[in-house]
Amino acid sequence: MKKIFLAVALIFLLSEVLSSEPNYSFYLERRDEQGRDYMHSRRWAKIARNGGLWELAFPLADFEVKNFDEPDFEENDEGFCLEFYWGGGNFLWRDIFYFKETDGEPCLYKTETFCTHPDENNKYEYVTDDCETHVINPPIRISRLGRDKIMRLLGGGYDFLPKVTCRDSDYEKAVEDKIMHLTVSKNGKVIQNLEYVYGENQHGMFGLRERYEPDSLGIEKKQFELMDLNFDGFDDIRILAGYTMNGAQPYYDVYIWNDHEEKYEFNPSCWDVVCPTYIKCDEINRRLYSSWNSTRGLITYYIWLYDDEFAVEDILYYNYELDLYSESDKYSNWYDKWDETDPAVVTYEMLPKHWKKALSFKE
């Protein structure tokens, strides 16, 4: 009887395993993209689970000097992993990127790298180095893993990226003093110390004429966020500097990484043109989104590109009295001069896809 019970249990278990569906769906597609000088085709991966959909843009074999095969996708106990094969000449690399979900989004938390190269003693034989493992801390959200960052991380490149930490005991707690001390390290060595003073930054919006305390700026705790604002594969620093218009709009100061100088620059000149309120960074599609809420019944939305400097790609005006939108400059002023019969004045449903994406984008 026991044997029959065990046999039935085993059959049931096997049927459950065989009939179980994967947690994630994964597929690849190619899209034509306009490069600086010509059109090229890029491979994108789409990963979906429980109604969530995430995309990854992979570097190109010819244009970005990485010889990619189709990446392997595999689920594991914590989430999933992607495996890349690339290289050239006598050196071939295999990189595995490990993801697990945090707050409903897959995050890259570990990479493993293997390198195959000629044996020093026998040029006709190849050897594979031991696994080089890098723990990504903090993990990188998949929505921040653009193609440039993937390139930086391949081949064990994590240690060569700048890492930012705060050494203040009141970090992410109630503010005790108005200075945030940040330490920048690279390859295990401290290369820069930054002091951000709330309300007293010469090149920021606040502190130009007066000196403000953090609580009067609406700052409850010291905090910074890492995001690749200029899409060069290096993390930049975004700091909530305070709120404008009686607390209506968050204003941000930034430090942008200069790889040539190997240091962070505070609000560099290329940032001067950017509207620095409600900044959102879409690293996958290489766009910044920001907006400005005027006192004239209008909100102005911006989409920013970066190519050696920031430039406006598109501007949209929203009349919140009428709940209508327009891309026309003639509606950039007072809300009460809008012509609802003008074809240039549209509802949200009539907006182009890129604007719907920009307005709904969440970091």
Side-chain angles (χ1 to χ4, degrees), residues 209-228:
R209 298 183 180 88
E210 302 178 50
R211 298 294 180 262
Y212 296 93
E213 293 300 321
D215 56 351
S216 65
L217 297 171
I219 305 297
E220 297 180 354
K221 58 184 179 181
K222 298 177 183 177
Q223 198 172 36
F224 68 92
E225 295 175 276
L226 298 177
M227 53 189 61
D228 189 358

PDB file of all heavy atoms in Angstrom, residues 209-228:
ATOM      1  N   ARG A 209      20.394  84.403  -2.503  1.00  0.00           N
ATOM      2  CA  ARG A 209      20.278  85.682  -1.786  1.00  0.00           C
ATOM      3  C   ARG A 209      20.135  85.496  -0.275  1.00  0.00           C
ATOM      4  O   ARG A 209      20.506  86.364   0.490  1.00  0.00           O
ATOM      5  CB  ARG A 209      19.058  86.457  -2.302  1.00  0.00           C
ATOM      6  CG  ARG A 209      19.155  86.827  -3.780  1.00  0.00           C
ATOM      7  CD  ARG A 209      17.946  87.646  -4.212  1.00  0.00           C
ATOM      8  NE  ARG A 209      18.024  88.014  -5.612  1.00  0.00           N
ATOM      9  CZ  ARG A 209      17.572  87.260  -6.599  1.00  0.00           C
ATOM     10  NH1 ARG A 209      16.985  86.111  -6.313  1.00  0.00           N
ATOM     11  NH2 ARG A 209      17.683  87.643  -7.849  1.00  0.00           N
ATOM     12  N   GLU A 210      19.568  84.377   0.120  1.00  0.00           N
ATOM     13  CA  GLU A 210      19.357  84.132   1.534  1.00  0.00           C
ATOM     14  C   GLU A 210      19.942  82.789   1.918  1.00  0.00           C
ATOM     15  O   GLU A 210      20.423  82.029   1.087  1.00  0.00           O
ATOM     16  CB  GLU A 210      17.852  84.161   1.854  1.00  0.00           C
ATOM     17  CG  GLU A 210      17.162  85.468   1.490  1.00  0.00           C
ATOM     18  CD  GLU A 210      15.675  85.411   1.790  1.00  0.00           C
ATOM     19  OE1 GLU A 210      15.317  85.020   2.909  1.00  0.00           O
ATOM     20  OE2 GLU A 210      14.877  85.733   0.904  1.00  0.00           O
ATOM     21  N   ARG A 211      19.924  82.486   3.194  1.00  0.00           N
ATOM     22  CA  ARG A 211      20.381  81.199   3.691  1.00  0.00           C
ATOM     23  C   ARG A 211      19.205  80.479   4.327  1.00  0.00           C
ATOM     24  O   ARG A 211      18.510  81.043   5.182  1.00  0.00           O
ATOM     25  CB  ARG A 211      21.511  81.396   4.721  1.00  0.00           C
ATOM     26  CG  ARG A 211      22.748  82.070   4.141  1.00  0.00           C
ATOM     27  CD  ARG A 211      23.420  81.162   3.113  1.00  0.00           C
ATOM     28  NE  ARG A 211      24.609  81.774   2.529  1.00  0.00           N
ATOM     29  CZ  ARG A 211      24.630  82.389   1.361  1.00  0.00           C
ATOM     30  NH1 ARG A 211      23.527  82.505   0.655  1.00  0.00           N
ATOM     31  NH2 ARG A 211      25.746  82.906   0.884  1.00  0.00           N
ATOM     32  N   TYR A 212      18.946  79.274   3.858  1.00  0.00           N
ATOM     33  CA  TYR A 212      17.783  78.538   4.311  1.00  0.00           C
ATOM     34  C   TYR A 212      18.196  77.328   5.138  1.00  0.00           C
ATOM     35  O   TYR A 212      19.219  76.700   4.883  1.00  0.00           O
ATOM     36  CB  TYR A 212      16.957  78.045   3.113  1.00  0.00           C
ATOM     37  CG  TYR A 212      16.364  79.145   2.279  1.00  0.00           C
ATOM     38  CD1 TYR A 212      17.040  79.630   1.160  1.00  0.00           C
ATOM     39  CD2 TYR A 212      15.129  79.692   2.592  1.00  0.00           C
ATOM     40  CE1 TYR A 212      16.497  80.632   0.373  1.00  0.00           C
ATOM     41  CE2 TYR A 212      14.573  80.689   1.812  1.00  0.00           C
ATOM     42  CZ  TYR A 212      15.257  81.159   0.709  1.00  0.00           C
ATOM     43  OH  TYR A 212      14.716  82.144  -0.069  1.00  0.00           O
ATOM     44  N   GLU A 213      17.362  76.982   6.098  1.00  0.00           N
ATOM     45  CA  GLU A 213      17.538  75.742   6.835  1.00  0.00           C
ATOM     46  C   GLU A 213      16.748  74.642   6.124  1.00  0.00           C
ATOM     47  O   GLU A 213      15.756  74.927   5.452  1.00  0.00           O
ATOM     48  CB  GLU A 213      17.043  75.905   8.282  1.00  0.00           C
ATOM     49  CG  GLU A 213      17.887  76.863   9.102  1.00  0.00           C
ATOM     50  CD  GLU A 213      19.338  76.422   9.212  1.00  0.00           C
ATOM     51  OE1 GLU A 213      19.590  75.211   9.361  1.00  0.00           O
ATOM     52  OE2 GLU A 213      20.215  77.288   9.129  1.00  0.00           O
ATOM     53  N   PRO A 214      17.159  73.389   6.279  1.00  0.00           N
ATOM     54  CA  PRO A 214      16.472  72.300   5.566  1.00  0.00           C
ATOM     55  C   PRO A 214      14.967  72.245   5.792  1.00  0.00           C
ATOM     56  O   PRO A 214      14.212  71.995   4.859  1.00  0.00           O
ATOM     57  CB  PRO A 214      17.175  71.041   6.100  1.00  0.00           C
ATOM     58  CG  PRO A 214      18.547  71.505   6.454  1.00  0.00           C
ATOM     59  CD  PRO A 214      18.356  72.902   6.986  1.00  0.00           C
ATOM     60  N   ASP A 215      14.520  72.494   7.032  1.00  0.00           N
ATOM     61  CA  ASP A 215      13.080  72.383   7.286  1.00  0.00           C
ATOM     62  C   ASP A 215      12.297  73.459   6.553  1.00  0.00           C
ATOM     63  O   ASP A 215      11.162  73.236   6.128  1.00  0.00           O
ATOM     64  CB  ASP A 215      12.790  72.424   8.790  1.00  0.00           C
ATOM     65  CG  ASP A 215      13.345  73.667   9.456  1.00  0.00           C
ATOM     66  OD1 ASP A 215      14.104  74.415   8.802  1.00  0.00           O
ATOM     67  OD2 ASP A 215      13.019  73.893  10.630  1.00  0.00           O
ATOM     68  N   SER A 216      12.879  74.651   6.363  1.00  0.00           N
ATOM     69  CA  SER A 216      12.175  75.698   5.631  1.00  0.00           C
ATOM     70  C   SER A 216      12.136  75.406   4.133  1.00  0.00           C
ATOM     71  O   SER A 216      11.340  75.993   3.403  1.00  0.00           O
ATOM     72  CB  SER A 216      12.840  77.060   5.875  1.00  0.00           C
ATOM     73  OG  SER A 216      14.153  77.085   5.348  1.00  0.00           O
ATOM     74  N   LEU A 217      12.990  74.499   3.661  1.00  0.00           N
ATOM     75  CA  LEU A 217      12.979  74.074   2.267  1.00  0.00           C
ATOM     76  C   LEU A 217      12.061  72.874   2.050  1.00  0.00           C
ATOM     77  O   LEU A 217      11.860  72.445   0.921  1.00  0.00           O
ATOM     78  CB  LEU A 217      14.399  73.689   1.815  1.00  0.00           C
ATOM     79  CG  LEU A 217      15.450  74.797   1.821  1.00  0.00           C
ATOM     80  CD1 LEU A 217      16.824  74.213   1.569  1.00  0.00           C
ATOM     81  CD2 LEU A 217      15.116  75.844   0.781  1.00  0.00           C
ATOM     82  N   GLY A 218      11.519  72.336   3.142  1.00  0.00           N
ATOM     83  CA  GLY A 218      10.690  71.154   3.036  1.00  0.00           C
ATOM     84  C   GLY A 218      11.487  69.858   3.067  1.00  0.00           C
ATOM     85  O   GLY A 218      10.956  68.799   2.719  1.00  0.00           O
ATOM     86  N   ILE A 219      12.762  69.926   3.476  1.00  0.00           N
ATOM     87  CA  ILE A 219      13.620  68.740   3.531  1.00  0.00           C
ATOM     88  C   ILE A 219      13.434  68.044   4.872  1.00  0.00           C
ATOM     89  O   ILE A 219      13.701  68.627   5.925  1.00  0.00           O
ATOM     90  CB  ILE A 219      15.106  69.108   3.338  1.00  0.00           C
ATOM     91  CG1 ILE A 219      15.298  69.889   2.043  1.00  0.00           C
ATOM     92  CG2 ILE A 219      15.972  67.862   3.349  1.00  0.00           C
ATOM     93  CD1 ILE A 219      14.940  69.127   0.803  1.00  0.00           C
ATOM     94  N   GLU A 220      12.960  66.811   4.840  1.00  0.00           N
ATOM     95  CA  GLU A 220      12.755  66.052   6.075  1.00  0.00           C
ATOM     96  C   GLU A 220      13.946  65.177   6.417  1.00  0.00           C
ATOM     97  O   GLU A 220      14.169  64.859   7.585  1.00  0.00           O
ATOM     98  CB  GLU A 220      11.498  65.186   5.949  1.00  0.00           C
ATOM     99  CG  GLU A 220      10.225  66.011   5.777  1.00  0.00           C
ATOM    100  CD  GLU A 220       8.999  65.123   5.656  1.00  0.00           C
ATOM    101  OE1 GLU A 220       9.181  63.888   5.594  1.00  0.00           O
ATOM    102  OE2 GLU A 220       7.883  65.669   5.625  1.00  0.00           O
ATOM    103  N   LYS A 221      14.721  64.759   5.406  1.00  0.00           N
ATOM    104  CA  LYS A 221      15.887  63.910   5.662  1.00  0.00           C
ATOM    105  C   LYS A 221      16.885  64.052   4.524  1.00  0.00           C
ATOM    106  O   LYS A 221      16.528  64.395   3.400  1.00  0.00           O
ATOM    107  CB  LYS A 221      15.471  62.440   5.821  1.00  0.00           C
ATOM    108  CG  LYS A 221      14.745  61.861   4.628  1.00  0.00           C
ATOM    109  CD  LYS A 221      14.286  60.442   4.913  1.00  0.00           C
ATOM    110  CE  LYS A 221      13.537  59.848   3.723  1.00  0.00           C
ATOM    111  NZ  LYS A 221      13.076  58.465   4.000  1.00  0.00           N
ATOM    112  N   LYS A 222      18.136  63.794   4.852  1.00  0.00           N
ATOM    113  CA  LYS A 222      19.173  63.792   3.832  1.00  0.00           C
ATOM    114  C   LYS A 222      19.011  62.565   2.954  1.00  0.00           C
ATOM    115  O   LYS A 222      18.795  61.463   3.450  1.00  0.00           O
ATOM    116  CB  LYS A 222      20.568  63.765   4.484  1.00  0.00           C
ATOM    117  CG  LYS A 222      20.900  64.954   5.339  1.00  0.00           C
ATOM    118  CD  LYS A 222      22.265  64.764   5.969  1.00  0.00           C
ATOM    119  CE  LYS A 222      22.603  65.920   6.888  1.00  0.00           C
ATOM    120  NZ  LYS A 222      23.913  65.705   7.568  1.00  0.00           N
ATOM    121  N   GLN A 223      19.129  62.778   1.671  1.00  0.00           N
ATOM    122  CA  GLN A 223      18.963  61.659   0.758  1.00  0.00           C
ATOM    123  C   GLN A 223      19.492  62.046  -0.619  1.00  0.00           C
ATOM    124  O   GLN A 223      19.442  63.211  -1.005  1.00  0.00           O
ATOM    125  CB  GLN A 223      17.485  61.268   0.651  1.00  0.00           C
ATOM    126  CG  GLN A 223      17.243  59.888   0.078  1.00  0.00           C
ATOM    127  CD  GLN A 223      15.783  59.493   0.185  1.00  0.00           C
ATOM    128  OE1 GLN A 223      14.894  60.321   0.042  1.00  0.00           O
ATOM    129  NE2 GLN A 223      15.527  58.227   0.429  1.00  0.00           N
ATOM    130  N   PHE A 224      20.031  61.058  -1.319  1.00  0.00           N
ATOM    131  CA  PHE A 224      20.422  61.280  -2.709  1.00  0.00           C
ATOM    132  C   PHE A 224      20.012  60.052  -3.508  1.00  0.00           C
ATOM    133  O   PHE A 224      19.806  58.973  -2.961  1.00  0.00           O
ATOM    134  CB  PHE A 224      21.927  61.542  -2.841  1.00  0.00           C
ATOM    135  CG  PHE A 224      22.785  60.343  -2.528  1.00  0.00           C
ATOM    136  CD1 PHE A 224      23.186  59.463  -3.524  1.00  0.00           C
ATOM    137  CD2 PHE A 224      23.209  60.099  -1.223  1.00  0.00           C
ATOM    138  CE1 PHE A 224      23.969  58.355  -3.232  1.00  0.00           C
ATOM    139  CE2 PHE A 224      23.996  58.997  -0.922  1.00  0.00           C
ATOM    140  CZ  PHE A 224      24.379  58.122  -1.931  1.00  0.00           C
ATOM    141  N   GLU A 225      19.884  60.234  -4.807  1.00  0.00           N
ATOM    142  CA  GLU A 225      19.527  59.135  -5.696  1.00  0.00           C
ATOM    143  C   GLU A 225      20.535  59.074  -6.832  1.00  0.00           C
ATOM    144  O   GLU A 225      20.996  60.110  -7.325  1.00  0.00           O
ATOM    145  CB  GLU A 225      18.123  59.324  -6.257  1.00  0.00           C
ATOM    146  CG  GLU A 225      17.029  59.259  -5.217  1.00  0.00           C
ATOM    147  CD  GLU A 225      15.663  59.559  -5.794  1.00  0.00           C
ATOM    148  OE1 GLU A 225      15.326  60.741  -5.907  1.00  0.00           O
ATOM    149  OE2 GLU A 225      14.964  58.605  -6.146  1.00  0.00           O
ATOM    150  N   LEU A 226      20.865  57.861  -7.260  1.00  0.00           N
ATOM    151  CA  LEU A 226      21.783  57.660  -8.371  1.00  0.00           C
ATOM    152  C   LEU A 226      20.983  57.385  -9.635  1.00  0.00           C
ATOM    153  O   LEU A 226      20.071  56.566  -9.635  1.00  0.00           O
ATOM    154  CB  LEU A 226      22.725  56.491  -8.083  1.00  0.00           C
ATOM    155  CG  LEU A 226      23.646  56.660  -6.873  1.00  0.00           C
ATOM    156  CD1 LEU A 226      24.476  55.398  -6.663  1.00  0.00           C
ATOM    157  CD2 LEU A 226      24.544  57.870  -7.030  1.00  0.00           C
ATOM    158  N   MET A 227      21.315  58.076 -10.708  1.00  0.00           N
ATOM    159  CA  MET A 227      20.708  57.850 -12.007  1.00  0.00           C
ATOM    160  C   MET A 227      21.640  58.389 -13.080  1.00  0.00           C
ATOM    161  O   MET A 227      22.414  59.324 -12.831  1.00  0.00           O
ATOM    162  CB  MET A 227      19.327  58.503 -12.102  1.00  0.00           C
ATOM    163  CG  MET A 227      19.288  59.969 -11.756  1.00  0.00           C
ATOM    164  SD  MET A 227      17.590  60.594 -11.636  1.00  0.00           S
ATOM    165  CE  MET A 227      16.930  59.605 -10.305  1.00  0.00           C
ATOM    166  N   ASP A 228      21.598  57.775 -14.232  1.00  0.00           N
ATOM    167  CA  ASP A 228      22.493  58.156 -15.325  1.00  0.00           C
ATOM    168  C   ASP A 228      21.850  59.273 -16.136  1.00  0.00           C
ATOM    169  O   ASP A 228      21.198  59.038 -17.147  1.00  0.00           O
ATOM    170  CB  ASP A 228      22.778  56.925 -16.196  1.00  0.00           C
ATOM    171  CG  ASP A 228      23.868  57.180 -17.222  1.00  0.00           C
ATOM    172  OD1 ASP A 228      24.376  58.313 -17.282  1.00  0.00           O
ATOM    173  OD2 ASP A 228      24.203  56.249 -17.963  1.00  0.00           O
TER     174      ASP A 228
END
